[in-house]
């Protein structure tokens, strides 16, 4: 025991103070030496053996040299170290348990949130797909509407050309197929421009929605919705029966000559002037022949006009069959590509969830090496300390 501040006690009382301390130590049965770490004035020399720092140092050296003391010190140090390790182990175990419980709760919340997100994303995707298909249907309807606008105008133009033809049969069999293909090709180009603009608008809208909800975009190769080359295989010619007008005209003219000659002979027998009679009869017969020919020609043209009115819608319907398939394929291809992007997005979300859960598990696992290290250190202490 080190006694300090003895110099602050009255000199005549200092011996009494030291004696009191010795008496107390004996009473407590503590065999502990007493030292004063510095020299102070004393009434006598009875305590000179415990005065001064050199006496303290000598006692410490004596203790250090004592093997029993070393053993006690080592045991004390090991015991204290073991106590610290036990406390640390309990603290780490508590933290590990808390982290595991917390992580389980976080995992449940994280998985639930991710499931809700994915479920909401699937609903959004299905809604987006249905809206895009609605736009596809509207584009199909636009195709039909624009093509329908051309039915009447193409029919009128071709019928107008027919009215200026010298031979309805020749025009129908030779000119009409070519004229119809030109008209339909022009229609295809104009309608295609309208449809392509609509397709671009729809895909731009779809692309924006994909970017907002799925960080993806729609792919479109710019294929034409209508191909005018498809009309090469279309045969619009309706079989019409035409009477040979040239033969009919020749026969009519021969008949007119016979009538004129017979009329002249009749007039001569009646005493009339044969030349004047011939002219009158011939003129009347010629007029009658031209009127009959024109009437027959008009009848043929009316028949062809009716055939035109039937052939033009057929040609346009033929074009729409292929165009509808092309148009459907364009929208289906865009959806197919976007579905691939959606699949990648979903896989990415699932992978992020797996990584997040793994990260939570690693948070609890980080305590495992510490616990293993403490267990190793405790085992080493037990081996050193023996009975500790």
């Amino acid at each position: 025991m080190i006694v300090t501040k003895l110099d602050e006690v009255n000199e005549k009382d200092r011996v009494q103070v030291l004696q009191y301390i010795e008496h107390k130590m004996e009473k407590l049965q503590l065999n502990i030496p007493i030292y004063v770490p510095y020299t102070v004035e004393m009434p006598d020399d009875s305590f000179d053996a415990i005065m001064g720092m050199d006496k303290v140092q000598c006692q410490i050296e004596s203790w250090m040299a004592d093997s029993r003391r070393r053993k006690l010190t080592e045991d004390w140090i090991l015991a204290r170290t073991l106590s610290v390790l036990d406390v640390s182990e309990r603290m780490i175990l508590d933290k590990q348990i808390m982290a595991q419980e917390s992580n389980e709760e976080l995992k449940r919340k994280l998985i639930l949130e991710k499931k809700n997100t994915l479920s909401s994303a699937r609903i959004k995707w299905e809604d987006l797909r249905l809206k895009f298909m609605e736009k596809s249907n509207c584009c199909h309807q636009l195709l039909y509407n624009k093509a329908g606008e051309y039915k009447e105008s193409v029919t009128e133009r071709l019928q107008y050309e027919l009215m200026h033809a010298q031979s309805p049969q020749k025009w129908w069999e030779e000119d009409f197929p070519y004229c119809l293909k030109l008209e339909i090709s022009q229609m295809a180009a104009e309608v295609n421009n309208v449809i392509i603009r609509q397709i671009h608008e729809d895909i731009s809208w779809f692309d924006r929605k994909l970017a907002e909800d799925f960080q993806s975009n729609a792919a479109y190769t710019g294929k034409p919705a209508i191909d005018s080359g498809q009309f090469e295989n279309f045969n619009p010619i309706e079989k019409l029966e035409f009477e040979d007008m040239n033969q009919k005209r020749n026969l009519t003219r021969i008949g007119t000559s016979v009538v004129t000659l017979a009329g002249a002979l009749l007039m001569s027998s009646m005493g009339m002037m044969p030349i004047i009679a011939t002219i009158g009869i011939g003129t009347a017969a010629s007029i009658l022949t031209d009127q009959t020919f024109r009437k027959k020609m008009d009848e043929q043209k009316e028949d062809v006009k009716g055939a035109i009115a039937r052939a033009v819608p057929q040609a346009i319907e033929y074009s729409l069959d292929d165009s509808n398939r092309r148009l459907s394929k364009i929208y289906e291809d865009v959806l197919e590509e976007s579905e691939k992007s959606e699949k990648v997005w979903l896989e990415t979300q699932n992978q992020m969830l797996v990584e997040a859960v793994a990260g939570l598990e690693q948070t609890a696992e980080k305590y495992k090496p510490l616990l293993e290290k403490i267990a190793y250190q405790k085992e080493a202490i037990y081996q050193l300390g023996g009975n500790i």
Side-chain angles (χ1 to χ4, degrees):
M1 176 178 289
I2 303 299
V3 179
T4 59
K5 298 187 179 181
L6 188 61
D7 55 331
E8 297 179 9
V9 178
N10 194 320
E11 182 178 344
K12 65 180 181 177
D13 296 327
R14 291 173 183 172
V15 172
Q16 186 179 355
V17 169
L18 293 175
Q19 289 175 344
Y20 173 79
I21 294 173
E22 285 181 342
H23 177 70
K24 269 297 193 184
M25 298 296 286
E26 289 175 0
K27 190 174 182 179
L28 293 173
Q29 297 181 351
L30 296 176
N31 186 21
I32 300 175
I34 300 171
Y35 291 96
V36 178
Y38 46 82
T39 302
V40 293
E41 294 292 333
M42 299 291 289
D44 55 48
D45 58 359
S46 58
F47 287 97
D48 288 349
I50 64 170
M51 292 289 180
M53 184 56 70
D54 57 329
K55 306 298 190 301
V56 175
Q57 290 175 347
C58 287
Q59 182 62 51
I60 291 174
E61 290 173 358
S62 174
W63 284 344
M64 295 297 292
D66 190 340
S67 60
R68 293 175 302 170
R69 180 65 184 180
R70 287 199 303 271
K71 182 66 171 63
L72 289 173
T73 303
E74 290 173 358
D75 290 347
W76 180 84
I77 293 172
L78 291 175
R80 292 295 300 166
T81 303
L82 186 61
S83 175
V84 171
L85 290 174
D86 286 338
V87 172
S88 300
E89 185 179 41
R90 285 195 298 272
M91 290 177 61
I92 293 173
L93 282 171
D94 290 342
K95 288 183 178 181
Q96 186 183 44
I97 292 171
M98 291 175 61
Q100 288 174 341
E101 292 175 351
S102 176
N103 289 347
E104 287 299 321
E105 182 64 24
L106 286 174
K107 278 166 57 176
R108 284 194 292 271
K109 288 183 179 180
L110 186 62
I111 292 172
L112 180 61
E113 288 175 1
K114 188 59 69 175
K115 283 183 177 179
N116 291 338
T117 299
L118 294 178
S119 177
S120 175
R122 289 189 181 95
I123 293 172
K124 281 184 179 181
W125 164 249
E126 184 61 20
D127 182 62
L128 188 59
R129 187 186 70 81
L130 291 175
K131 287 181 179 178
F132 188 63
M133 291 310 297
E134 287 178 8
K135 290 184 177 292
S136 171
N137 294 334
C138 291
C139 194
H140 280 279
Q141 189 59 49
L142 176 64
L143 175 64
Y144 273 103
N145 292 342
K146 296 304 294 183
E149 293 173 5
Y150 282 86
K151 288 182 181 178
E152 186 175 348
S153 60
V154 171
T155 300
E156 288 179 355
R157 281 195 295 272
L158 293 176
Q159 288 176 342
Y160 179 79
E161 291 184 18
L162 167 67
M163 300 309 294
H164 292 80
Q166 296 297 320
S167 171
Q169 180 179 4
K170 182 177 180 296
W171 185 88
W172 173 252
E173 294 176 351
E174 297 179 10
D175 296 341
F176 176 69
Y178 177 75
C179 293
L180 178 61
K181 288 178 182 178
L182 285 181
E183 289 285 351
I184 299 298
S185 296
Q186 182 178 354
M187 179 206 77
E190 294 175 0
V191 173
N192 190 66
N193 289 335
V194 174
I195 296 302
I196 290 297
R197 283 197 298 271
Q198 186 60 48
I199 290 172
H200 276 293
E201 288 181 10
D202 293 345
I203 293 178
S204 296
W205 172 86
F206 192 54
D207 188 68
R208 288 196 303 274
K209 291 296 183 180
L210 285 177
E212 290 173 5
D213 298 330
F214 301 99
Q215 293 76 51
S216 179
N217 28 23
Y220 173 51
T221 58
K223 295 178 181 178
I226 304 175
D227 181 12
S228 59
Q230 66 187 287
F231 306 114
E232 297 299 326
N233 299 323
F234 177 68
N235 183 12
I237 298 300
E238 179 182 339
K239 296 298 182 182
L240 299 178
E241 295 295 333
F242 290 95
E243 186 176 353
D244 191 339
M245 298 302 294
N246 290 327
Q247 182 180 4
K248 186 174 182 63
R249 174 175 283 183
N250 291 334
L251 291 175
T252 303
R253 285 175 178 172
I254 292 172
T256 301
S257 299
V258 172
V259 170
T260 301
L261 179 58
L265 293 173
L266 180 61
M267 291 298 179
S268 297
S269 66
M270 295 175 65
M272 298 182 180
M273 294 181 64
I275 296 176
I276 296 175
T278 300
I279 293 172
I281 293 171
T283 300
S286 178
I287 292 171
L288 179 61
T289 299
D290 289 342
Q291 288 177 344
T292 302
F293 182 79
R294 283 196 300 273
K295 182 179 179 182
K296 197 64 180 177
M297 187 73 72
D298 290 341
E299 289 175 357
Q300 287 188 352
K301 286 184 177 181
E302 287 300 319
D303 290 341
V304 175
K305 283 177 66 177
I308 293 172
R310 293 187 294 273
V312 170
Q314 289 176 1
I316 292 177
E317 289 297 328
Y318 178 85
S319 72
L320 290 179
D321 287 343
D322 182 79
S323 299
N324 268 318
R325 287 190 293 271
R326 283 171 168 265
L327 192 57
S328 296
K329 190 69 168 61
I330 289 172
Y331 281 84
E332 288 169 2
D333 286 348
V334 171
L335 274 178
E336 183 179 350
E337 289 300 317
S338 62
E339 284 171 356
K340 292 178 183 178
S341 298
E342 184 219 11
K343 184 178 179 181
V344 171
W345 183 84
L346 289 174
E347 290 175 351
T348 302
Q349 297 302 309
N350 287 325
Q351 183 61 33
M352 290 171 62
L353 175 60
V354 170
E355 292 175 356
V357 170
L360 291 175
E361 292 174 348
Q362 288 175 1
T363 302
E365 287 294 319
K366 72 180 182 180
Y367 294 105
K368 188 175 180 180
L370 294 175
L371 291 172
E372 291 175 350
K373 188 174 182 179
I374 289 175
Y376 174 79
Q377 291 173 341
K378 288 175 67 175
E379 181 62 26
I381 290 173
Y382 285 130
Q383 291 178 1
L384 289 173
N387 296 325
I388 293 179

